[in-house]
Amino acid sequence: MTEYRLFPRTAFGAESAHSVSIAGVTLTERPDVALASVAARTGEAEIAGTMAELCGGPCGVGQYKEGAPFSTFWSGPDQWFVLADHAAHETLAAELQARLGDRASVTEQNDGWVVFDLTGNALTPMLERLCNIDLARFEAGQAQRCVIEHISSFVLCRDPGLSYRLMCGRSFARSFAHAVETIMASVAAQAAA
Amino acid sequence: MLIPHPILGLRDAQEFTYLGDASLLDRPDGMAEGASEAFHDYLYLRDNPAGEHRELWFHEQGDRSWLVVTRNTLTHEITKAELARDVALARRGVK
Amino acid sequence: MTQSNRLNGGQIDRAQLLRFTFDGQSYSGHAGDTLASALLSNGVRLMGRSFKYHRPRGPISAGSEEPNALMMIGDGARVEPNTRATVAELYDGLTAKSQNAWPSLKLDALGINDVFSNFLTAGFYYKTFMWPRAFWEKFYEPAIRKAAGLGRLSMQEDPDCYDKGFLHCDLLVIGAGPSGLMAALTAARAGARVILADEDFRMGGRLNAETHELGGQSGADWATATLAELASFDTVRLMTRTTVFGAYDHGVFGAVERVSDHLRPTGDTRPRQTLWRIYARRSLLCAGATERMVGFANNDRPGILQAGALRAYANRWAVTAGLRVTVFTNNDDGHRTARDLAAKGVEIVAVIDPRAEAPQGDWRVIRGQVVDTKGRLGLKSVTVRGHDGRQEVLQVEGLGVSGGWNPNVSLTCHQRGRPEWREDIAAFVPGGTLPVGMAVAGAAAGDLSTHGALRGGAEGAVASLEALGISAKAPELPEAEDAPVQQTPLWYVGEGKARKWIDFQNDVTVKDVKLAHQEGFVSVEHLKRYTTLGMATDQGKNSNLGGLAVMAELTGQTIAQTGTTMFRPPYTPVAMGALAGRSVGKDFKPTRLTPSHHWAEKQGAVFVEVGQWMRAQWFPQLGETHWRQSVDREALAVRKSVGVCDVTTLGKVDVQGRDAAEFLNLIYANGFAKLAVGKTRYGLMLREDGIAMDDGTAARLAEDHFVVTTTTANAGPVYRHMEFVRQCLRPDLDVQLISTTDSWAQYAVAGPNARKLLQKIVDPEFDISNEAFPFMGCAEITVCGGTRARLFRISFSGELAYEIAVPTRYGESLIEVLMAAGEEFDVTPYGTEALGVLRIEKGHAAGNELNGQTSAAHLGMARMVSTKKDSIGAVLTRREELSREDGLRLMGFEAIDSDTLPAGSHLFAEGAAHRPETDQGWLTSACYSPHLGKPIALGYIKQGGERIGEVVTAANPVEGTSVKARIVSPHFIDPEGARLRD
Amino acid sequence: MRYSAARVLWEGLTGHKGWTRAWRDPEPKPQYDIVIIGGGGHGLATAHYLASIYGQHRVAVLEKGWIGGGNVGRNTTIIRSNYLLDGNEPFYEFSLKLWEGLEQDLNYNAMVSQRSIINLIHTDAQRDAFRRRGNAMILHGAGAELLNAEQVRREVPFLNFDNARFPIKGALVQRRGGTVRHDAVAWGYARAANSRGVDIIQNCEVTGFRIENGKVLGVETTRGYIGAGKVGVAVAGNSSRVMAKAGMRLPIESHVLQAFVSEGLKPVIPGVITFGAGHFYVSQSDKGGLVFGGDIDGYNTYAQRGNLPVVEDVCEGGVALMPIIGRARLLRMWGGIMDMSMDGSPYIDKTHIDGLFFNGGWCYGGFKATPASGYAFAHLLATGKPHDTATAYRLDRFRRGGMIDEKGVGAQPNLH
């Protein structure tokens, strides 16, 4: 039996989640989220139904459906990302594969992406400086892939103007947070003026 | 430019990567007689029209779909956008 | 100095006194002033020098079209050259300096050019400075360059930052004058999402500059009230200080908001400006019109302004350019200037109007023309010739000139629009195909009365919204001035020998246009390019039409036949910094960090940029003073015992589906259909043109599941290519792709002790002995007591080697564990340099070899390209030039008696002359091989396979070296591959 | 009329009455020995060399608009011969040599200014590649220098050396590279060709070819039929459209390249600088404007305008490389149509139609090639044989696999 053990680190190389607050806006890393991607095999588009059962409702084009224990968002034709609590579902991909069998290709994405929660009052001035999303029409339960400061990202809306989830590739975490935090500071300074 | 994505609606062309003429869908059979000439024409010759052009765009910063977009090269007006997959499947059906 | 030219009234806050300096002299102004209005209030008319003749100049305008009053504003690194004093908002402590003048604005030495202007006509430089040949670059050009240019950069890094953003709306209204305000109001009341943008710091446009009443209140008050209502809608965004500078495809606009230019720099985190990309479903251009000057002798003296500007200074800023003023106009509007200035107590010496129907007023009206002016540094007098033939000199300090108004059509031209001539207003109005979704209203559309502007704005908004399915109703219009345009075109005055300026900044005169015509530069574009007409920082807003009119007269054609005036973006110049936004300095591109980054930092690793990644290049140890010491040690450690290298950056693509194997068979040149589960295979990926695209491995984890790796650099392009093949070429296959590069932390564990090391961390239920897990095996395992891992027995170094992957969050921990467990083997972390040495020693091609110009045959892999199946690139890689027997082959090279063998050297047969015809190849990658104890290289050389043992010359003339090298197999180490299989 | 300083003085003293038209405005004749389609830099240069070197005087240049209105009138004015591959380097070096004697040849000051071109190096692999290129340049007599970071800093200290995402590690320099006043090139060639009897016919659009029995007899134009012994096509930006009239499909796609100029500034930049880690290259005109550009927009187009993302991309590269220009302002942006070839290199070749010759596919490198392109095309038209420096520019090279792909990106025109 090997005596060695591996310990997780966050995308920032730390033991606890990265979190920054500026003038009432908070960006928090969520290392406790497990992720997997699910793609229907050819001719198996009806797994959308199974996905709906698993995730508490159907998740159509551009949607983000929060549920327990699984949340999901649409990421492409017949393709979804599923989110769950990491502690309880570290092997989320295997769990989903077991449920979906050979009707879907499931891929572990726990550490492919970093999830951030962005919360605060009036986040619109920030997000409109970060991503090309029509925020007035971006409602709770919507998801959109976009580019934030040259970084491929997902933006999930939980409560318009007040609460969003942002995701970027794990290796980009530091640059991504820097970009978001820079705009947090800029917007705060403009609001104060 | 805005591309009318058949699934997602208008999306900024900046999210896409451009490949070129949609005739690249019609890849010749590599095992057929005269493949060399067929591949030469397939890969190197272009209509390059001044007007309506069918072309391939990849929604790299989006849903990762390849699209066939019909766009006017003089005005940039886009009259149609289809999933390349559907177009390719339809063509295979014809063959 | 007192504000001697300050009048009463105006929209300035007299309670706020602002101090500023111009060329070191202190002045004061008020909040609401521009720098130009403040200087004029202090009696300063001289504000700049022209480009070529260095003529003394003052402002001609009160807006962004200003060609003359350009200054350097700000201090130190914040100096901003070429800033228009006419739009620069005054703040306390502002410092401004004149530019393009030496030693001072008043005594500019290059004013001498004005004396020699007869020799410096349009295009003179094309005809001379040719002899002797060498003198152009040594003497003439440096002198010209020094004299040319306008302002000066600080030559320091811009200390400010800039934001960018995206906005979306139903209707973008550009310009907040009467038409823009009315349009925004109409749309807002209909519930539409509206953006109203105006370049000025005070919305209202000409309403702020005029004394007309709107529905019984002053124009400015009406604007204020309307803005208050607009501000009450949360669907309306009012953007002052925001210039919409470009109209791009499909309703995308570029706009720049000046966030803090008008404030004294504070050093907080506010941006200086914000670049907005506005996505508008419809747009309404309400950009107003620009008054044009008239060409007459010496029409460029400080104190000569557009009549409307003179009026704006008086009404909005309570300032006059002089206490004795005259007006020269070809239209009724010019007379309003006299009326408004007179009302403010300015003496109107006369109004000069060449028209028979010139209206009468409470001042003298002279039917005639201005034929000359005097006053070198500021206007002193104008000479007038009456239609009765009498010449008269008027002593004045200010002259307002109106030659009519040009609609601001710029944005309508940014795509396919070609303005059309409208005879009744003698001006170009929007024409041709406007940008998609754009309409034009008010003066910009040629509707030059206030009533017309209001009506146009309301109707324009209704029509724009109707197209979107939003029904809107035009509000009741306030009663407003509705005078028809009364003008007789007057482009220039024939009388007068002195120069008559058309393009003020670039010093293009009526004579220059005549010369261009004489020499055949008749087409509008030739005229422009030959004389530089319209190429100044005002983009020709003040000059294009004047030049066109003179040319029309010379060719005997109408203006419409002669051509049209076109405009390109930007509407007004935009700071480079705003267009760059935050993507500058270290943030130019995002940085990707590997899972071991923090650990490597702690080890003191030296990092290198590899695409967007930062990778450890080597790990210096105490006592090592040269990078080669570290790299040699690391490479030798791998050959001798075991080393660990973070290879997470290699692209990883998860390929699943029933037809995954068939799919790989198509994208790789070699066969994949028969690869067994639990096995990995090297794959050569060709582009369709038969050139090597990438190489990597594919591991079969299950019947329907592969993991494909790509090189670091090609991860993106290869993924895109795979999706192309999947969706466009073989949509019939059941294959799903997704990138997992960031999901797994992957390390190469290489060296004779690699297995022993791994056995210490792999959980015991997994047998990784040579028998159970041979070369090219792959498996999903667990390590360190249950952590999921993937193990691949592949080797880049030629040693017994593995790549082990764990979920990225465990990556940093894994390298710590490997270091701890490997202590007994002296495990050595190695960086990209040692990785490079090892792969060169093994003869593995990498980026320098896979440079997009090399075929399978060049790589010596022609036989890998299966002839039994169709695969991407297989047909075209067999073309004669790519597959010829005597073509280039990848070979190894060993230096002979030399301690260098530089990559990039060209290869020649020994003793051959070094000429292009004798050039036989080049070295692609080189290193010092600590294993062999000499410099080695990989390279391509003609007929390489048949020349093993031959000595060639590696010539590197660009660094003055030439080295002998022996051609050898590219596999310097273990060509049989025994170590891999141990 | 000869231009000279004395003449400028004399005219200045006598009211500029003596200046005559720079070129005539003739009516088209019914028949010419050689008709060049396209009054751009390449077409006019071809006419000049046909007349001055190959003794051809019955030559007409047909231009649909005004001469010099294509890419010679809308480029970033750079000249250089810093190519890597054997198919290219002799040609571009020949071109540079012609630039060096251009003004005396044409009696026109096109302001050829060899202020050097600096290609920055940011990675070791780039240095290896530039070493190979520099050596190729030296072998072809073009000259090259490889600088280290310290040497670069001494030459252009205002670049971002201390806070760069991609540090500058050196540069490949060609001292003979530089800039030329682009419009003057068209005018200078036109005036010189005109003086040797070439008819330059503006506002004359070719609407079709008259081809019988596989041989071209002349062209149909908006000003009537014009007979020709041979027809040379040099219509950058319109190659596919014009050659389609002769029934040909070409290995070309048309794309837009944007270029930019800043407001006038006192001298900032000595020569030409190209960023090796982003899309940006820059020089400063004699008038003081920073002239810069970057990548093409990347989609097929015939519209002479681009979009904002590329503008931003170029300015990001610019300010990242030169933080001192953050407060300089972009004055004007424009787009030119580039005939992008399938390997990034041009074509100068005969076609399968007897008497019909083609010159095109210059991607965005056509300006610097102007003299050699004209010379080589004139040679081909006059002798029927490719010029020694242009033997690789054949249309059939893709059949043989003989691509001349400097960037190594393959048959995807928008990547070249």
Side-chain angles (χ1 to χ4, degrees), chain B residues 1-3 12 14 17-19 24-31 35-37 39-40 42-44 56 58 60 63-68 71 74-78 83-86 88-89 92, chain C residues 166 248-252 277 279 415-416 436 666 688-690 716-717 719-733 735 739 867-876 878-879:
Chain B
M1 270 197 311
L2 300 175
I3 291 179
D12 196 298
Q14 211 181 350
T17 304
Y18 182 80
L19 180 61
L24 289 169
L25 291 173
D26 303 321
R27 184 175 183 271
D29 177 359
M31 304 304 280
S36 185
E37 191 60 22
F39 269 92
H40 169 270
Y42 163 74
L43 194 61
Y44 290 108
L56 288 160
F58 180 50
E60 187 138 15
D63 72 343
R64 305 276 168 124
S65 287
W66 277 95
L67 304 185
V68 176
R71 189 178 57 93
L74 287 165
T75 65
H76 296 176
E77 185 193 8
I78 296 176
L83 288 177
R85 187 185 185 87
D86 294 346
L89 280 170
R92 294 181 83 84
Chain C
F166 303 89
Y248 298 92
D249 276 318
H250 305 159
V252 182
R277 298 81 139 198
Y279 293 70
Q415 287 172 32
R416 289 159 59 78
V436 176
L666 180 58
E688 193 67 274
D689 66 355
Y719 179 82
R720 191 184 312 141
H721 169 70
M722 289 170 71
E723 284 285 10
F724 170 74
V725 174
R726 183 180 85 96
Q727 296 179 36
C728 299
L729 301 185
R730 292 303 302 274
D732 55 314
L733 297 183
V735 186
S739 166
T867 53
K868 297 194 191 92
K869 60 159 190 173
D870 188 11
S871 67
I872 305 287
V875 171
L876 293 182
R878 298 193 184 102
R879 284 176 289 174

Side-chain angles (χ1 to χ4, degrees), chain C residues 711-758:
Chain C
T711 58
T712 301
N714 285 332
V718 167
Y719 179 82
R720 191 184 312 141
H721 169 70
M722 289 170 71
E723 284 285 10
F724 170 74
V725 174
R726 183 180 85 96
Q727 296 179 36
C728 299
L729 301 185
R730 292 303 302 274
D732 55 314
L733 297 183
D734 176 41
V735 186
Q736 292 78 41
L737 306 173
I738 196 152
S739 166
T740 59
T741 304
D742 279 7
S743 292
W744 298 89
Q746 195 150 322
Y747 295 92
V749 181
N753 287 319
R755 184 183 304 116
K756 286 185 199 148
L757 169 54
L758 285 173

Side-chain angles (χ1 to χ4, degrees), chain C residues 203-214:
Chain C
M203 287 192 173
R206 285 298 301 182
L207 294 177
N208 294 322
E210 303 289 358
T211 51
H212 318 307
E213 290 200 337
L214 265 72

Side-chain angles (χ1 to χ4, degrees), chain C residues 514-532:
Chain C
K514 290 184 173 171
L515 179 61
H517 173 259
Q518 187 180 332
E519 297 190 84
F521 294 90
V522 176
S523 135
V524 176
E525 285 291 333
H526 281 157
L527 169 66
K528 187 175 116 182
R529 289 152 190 266
Y530 192 61
T531 63
T532 74

